[in-house]
Amino acid sequence: MCGIVGYAGCDKAGPVLFDTLKRLEYRGYDSAGVAIISDGDLLVLKAAGRIADLEKSYLRGGSLGSSTGIGHTRWATHGPPTTENAHPHVSGDVAVVHNGIIQNYLELKEDLLRRGFVFRSDTDTEVLAHLIGSFYMGDLEEAVRSAVCRVEGSYAIAALARGSSRLVCARNESPLVIGIGKGANYVASDVSALLPYTRDIVRMNDGEIAVIDHERVVLRDLSGILLPLDLERVDWDVEAAERAGYPHFMLKEIHEQPRSVQETIATRVSEMDGDVRIDIGLTVDEIRALERVSIVACGTSYHAAVLAKYLYPKAAGLPVDVEVASEFQHHLLRPGTLLLSITQSGETADTLSAMKRASTFGVKRIAISNVVGSTVTRMVDETIYTRCGPEIGVAATKTFTGQLVSLILLGIKLGRGKNHLSYENSRKMLVELTRLPGQIQEVLERRDQIREIAEKYANSDRYFFIGRDYLYPIALEGALKMKEISYISAEGYPGGELKHGPLALITEGTPVVALATFGKKIQANIKEVRARGADVIAFASEGDPDISKIANTVVELPVARPVLSSVLCTVALQLLAYYTADARGLPIDKPRNLAKSVTVE
Ligand code: F6R
């Protein structure tokens, strides 16, 4: 769970490394380091803490170094976040940065210790560095190849050697992208780090090794066979990867949702045919024969999955089971099941491992993801992309609404394919779906009211979120957003469930957020908590005559059919969490202990 970068060019490497590293800080930010060739020697600078602090000491030291270097931002897995454990790790003439986990590091370490190598850190990466160092006789590519052939586990590696102006990179099950520039080439864990420098990229595949200098990139497989460069032009712009004037990426990304949802829908909705144009890798007959949908996902993506549990039985006559990916190991899949993984990053280790296990059942596997070419997309038969652009804030926002909308599109596709959803109903739903971006904009315009509510309850030590039916997953998500960025204890429940225990925690003034855009039963639940002293903040449809009589505060949302109101409630709850965290003065884009892409199980 780290970010790595590399530069081989004609300018000084330091500024490029620090700039690209900062763009990857969302992948981890407990320590950082760079290694730069300086007068043929290796200059290594690393420290616990933020990249900006490390950059200051680099500048204080006179910005030394030539035009080749590697860098790393870390999220601790092996060993605490200390300077010793920060990357790069050095062995003899070689410096290495690594993202991933070396599973057989203990046995490799014992062997290296026997051979006299001295370890200075607790990391598995230092094992890798010494392994590469032990093979290095002047040919770094060969040394990396020999080392990775002995390694079990996941890695994205960038290495350089004293006296050389080349980088050597390798990848297995951790993302790595090469950027092709003019007179300079780059490497990074993620495209977003490279956007100010180049749009031309090559995504490395598992089992590939790249040798990069300022003029050339040479790609080979582990047996040394030369591979073609599969060049891709990325159309994400630099602006999209930066804050664009918002104080936090999260707020920017919340406000991007009218456009991102529009993108998710664009070209996929055919109102005239009453159908959805997405390829899910299944023939008409295969869709008809489907008996069940199973979904695996983690965190916010799991909450999106829960929506399908309510939608697909109604829309497509298909039962749905949803499993947290890390708990998938005992799950059995019957023939006739469509397995869907939902992962915005496409790199979540728990989800990837569940998908790997699912391959033994011989069922069709598809994914919903935001990242083109990410690992999950290479494991499945087909991917529905959410098309949200890069999401930098650690708390998922626009990618969650992208997942909800993608799930709705998939539900309509399955419903039509199974002749369960009539042309008329489907067409109506699609027409309403196309209005959603405008309605999201209307929710964003309620931001001042939501900010006032957030400020009023910002010092509460507990929040409850309740919702029924399509709004239950949104209650879960609202609670997760609240706790992850505001650090207030928050729980999401189905409206009917509080009376089975949690009601004991309601005291005078406890804020309870009630999602009440449809249905009468939630009103009974509001009365239950009011009677125990709760302050109820209800999110209801405009013009609802009843809610204001029973809730303390009402935020009116545009009228939409129940499944679509789930998206509108989501946006409102994102704002509530954001303004609460802001009122508490917290580091919203980088909440403590969390990282954007969770590449460990
Ligand atoms: C919370 C959040 C996480 C992710 C989870 C899965 O805001 O972002 O809960 O949803 O780590 O990540 P992906 O979707 O990349 O698999």
Side-chain angles (χ1 to χ4, degrees):
M1 176 98 61
C2 305
I4 70 176
V5 297
Y7 173 74
C10 301
D11 296 328
K12 265 189 183 293
V16 182
L17 293 177
F18 284 110
D19 180 53
T20 47
L21 274 181
K22 282 188 218 153
R23 293 169 199 280
L24 288 185
E25 228 181 351
Y26 70 88
R27 298 181 66 86
Y29 31 81
D30 59 37
S31 56
V34 294
I36 303 170
I37 302 292
S38 182
D39 286 335
D41 206 351
L42 263 183
L43 171 76
V44 176
L45 205 59
K46 57 184 188 173
R50 292 291 164 105
I51 295 163
D53 298 330
L54 188 74
E55 187 180 21
K56 279 184 204 144
S57 47
Y58 165 77
L59 295 172
R60 272 198 303 273
S63 316
L64 294 171
S66 72
S67 45
T68 312
I70 53 177
H72 188 272
T73 179
R74 179 167 186 256
W75 189 81
T77 51
H78 276 68
T82 59
T83 298
E84 294 70 38
N85 287 337
H87 302 210
H89 291 283
V90 177
S91 179
D93 288 336
V94 175
V96 177
V97 291
H98 161 231
N99 170 33
I101 292 201
I102 307 300
Q103 267 151 12
N104 59 338
Y105 82 102
L106 267 180
E107 88 195 47
L108 293 171
K109 186 170 182 175
E110 276 162 21
D111 180 48
L112 288 160
L113 281 170
R114 270 195 300 274
R115 292 159 59 195
F117 285 89
V118 177
F119 283 81
R120 291 179 183 82
S121 78
D122 312 312
T123 65
D124 52 343
T125 305
E126 195 181 3
V127 173
L128 189 62
H130 282 319
L131 196 59
I132 297 172
S134 73
F135 288 115
Y136 183 61
M137 306 285 170
D139 184 341
L140 186 59
E141 181 186 359
E142 225 18 73
V144 169
R145 179 170 291 112
S146 305
V148 297
C149 287
R150 280 159 184 79
V151 157
E152 287 164 23
S154 58
Y155 53 80
I157 303 168
L160 53 72
R162 206 182 303 269
S164 162
S165 53
R166 286 182 178 163
L167 309 178
V168 177
C169 303
R171 163 191 162 131
N172 187 50
E173 293 179 6
S174 285
L176 200 54
V177 177
I178 299 167
I180 312 289
K182 287 196 176 70
N185 291 309
Y186 309 79
V187 63
S189 299
D190 191 322
V191 176
S192 61
L194 302 181
L195 292 179
Y197 301 96
T198 179
R199 307 285 169 82
D200 295 322
I201 60 139
V202 175
R203 292 177 197 278
M204 288 187 70
N205 292 302
D206 288 350
E208 289 179 355
I209 296 186
V211 179
I212 300 169
D213 64 22
H214 73 286
E215 285 176 329
R216 284 202 320 157
V217 173
V218 177
L219 202 61
R220 290 197 170 84
D221 68 12
L222 289 183
S223 57
I225 294 174
L226 199 65
L227 300 169
L229 292 183
D230 192 358
L231 208 65
E232 187 186 317
R233 191 159 177 87
V234 222
D235 54 11
W236 290 358
D237 56 17
V238 183
E239 265 293 285
E242 290 172 354
R243 278 207 312 269
Y246 286 94
H248 298 97
F249 279 111
M250 182 178 176
L251 192 61
K252 171 177 174 261
E253 287 156 4
I254 291 172
H255 280 80
E256 280 173 352
Q257 291 174 107
R259 207 189 60 210
S260 61
V261 165
Q262 180 59 49
E263 284 292 313
T264 312
I265 298 169
T267 70
R268 289 167 165 169
V269 166
S270 168
E271 287 172 25
M272 218 167 66
D273 302 341
D275 211 344
V276 166
R277 295 193 191 117
I278 44 173
D279 191 1
I280 56 168
L282 269 71
T283 63
V284 174
D285 288 340
E286 282 172 330
I287 292 180
R288 277 202 198 115
L290 279 183
E291 289 173 13
R292 163 171 290 277
V293 178
S294 281
I295 313 183
V296 287
C298 303
T300 286
S301 299
Y302 170 82
H303 298 154
V306 178
L307 185 93
K309 217 168 162 174
Y310 294 91
L311 180 63
Y312 291 9
K314 280 183 219 163
L318 282 168
V320 175
D321 50 78
V322 180
E323 194 68 85
V324 168
S326 55
E327 291 297 319
F328 184 72
Q329 63 269 33
H330 306 297
H331 210 89
L332 298 177
L333 294 177
R334 286 188 247 131
T337 301
L338 174 66
L339 182 70
L340 168 64
S341 57
I342 307 181
T343 162
Q344 78 79 19
S345 63
E347 303 293 348
T348 300
D350 289 322
T351 307
L352 297 180
S353 127
M355 290 306 276
K356 211 177 235 173
R357 182 175 170 270
S359 66
T360 58
F361 295 102
V363 299
K364 282 273 180 192
R365 295 178 303 160
I366 64 171
I368 293 178
S369 184
N370 192 43
V371 182
V372 178
S374 59
T375 305
V376 81
T377 66
R378 302 190 219 172
M379 297 172 80
V380 294
D381 298 298
E382 202 56 65
T383 301
I384 303 169
Y385 288 106
T386 45
R387 301 173 175 168
C388 299
E391 187 176 70
I392 309 296
V394 164
T397 51
K398 60 177 178 172
T399 56
F400 177 66
T401 48
Q403 290 168 348
L404 294 178
V405 170
S406 300
L407 280 165
I408 293 168
L409 291 171
L410 177 61
I412 296 173
K413 168 105 186 162
L414 295 173
R416 292 297 292 142
K418 289 186 76 65
N419 277 331
H420 191 87
L421 191 62
S422 70
Y423 165 79
E424 237 351 280
N425 278 342
S426 159
R427 209 184 63 81
K428 259 175 83 182
M429 205 153 151
L430 290 173
V431 170
E432 290 171 37
L433 195 59
T434 57
R435 287 192 206 127
L436 198 57
Q439 293 184 315
I440 293 173
Q441 188 57 45
E442 290 178 50
V443 178
L444 292 172
E445 279 149 27
R446 315 280 202 270
R447 69 179 80 82
D448 289 341
Q449 187 194 1
I450 297 174
R451 186 207 302 241
E452 267 175 39
I453 298 167
E455 286 168 358
K456 179 170 174 193
Y457 295 104
N459 291 322
S460 305
D461 41 349
R462 174 177 297 141
Y463 247 104
F464 284 95
F465 290 75
I466 56 173
R468 305 180 79 111
D469 203 306
Y470 296 119
L471 299 182
Y472 165 51
I474 310 309
L476 293 176
E477 176 59 8
L480 177 63
K481 280 297 86 99
M482 184 61 81
K483 65 187 134 194
E484 70 182 326
I485 61 165
S486 79
Y487 311 155
I488 295 176
S489 174
E491 298 300 331
Y493 283 102
E497 193 59 15
L498 286 190
K499 58 184 177 293
H500 298 291
L503 212 46
L505 291 173
I506 303 282
T507 54
E508 204 55 40
T510 305
V512 175
V513 172
L515 303 179
T517 51
F518 64 91
K520 289 285 172 210
K521 283 189 176 172
I522 193 74
Q523 297 183 6
N525 305 132
I526 293 176
K527 287 179 193 154
E528 274 161 22
V529 292
R530 274 301 298 276
R532 270 90 186 165
D535 271 13
V536 174
I537 305 140
F539 290 84
S541 294
E542 263 160 7
D544 185 315
D546 302 323
I547 294 291
S548 59
K549 293 181 199 140
I550 55 174
N552 300 68
T553 312
V554 180
V555 180
E556 292 200 326
L557 302 179
V559 179
R561 71 164 61 211
V563 69
L564 299 183
S565 77
S566 70
V567 180
L568 303 179
C569 287
T570 297
V571 176
L573 297 193
Q574 292 167 349
L575 288 170
L576 184 69
Y578 174 82
Y579 287 123
T580 304
D582 197 37
R584 289 163 70 91
L586 293 169
I588 293 176
D589 283 333
K590 291 170 186 148
R592 72 179 172 218
N593 303 336
L594 300 180
K596 183 78 185 159
S597 182
V598 187
T599 52
V600 288
E601 280 183 58

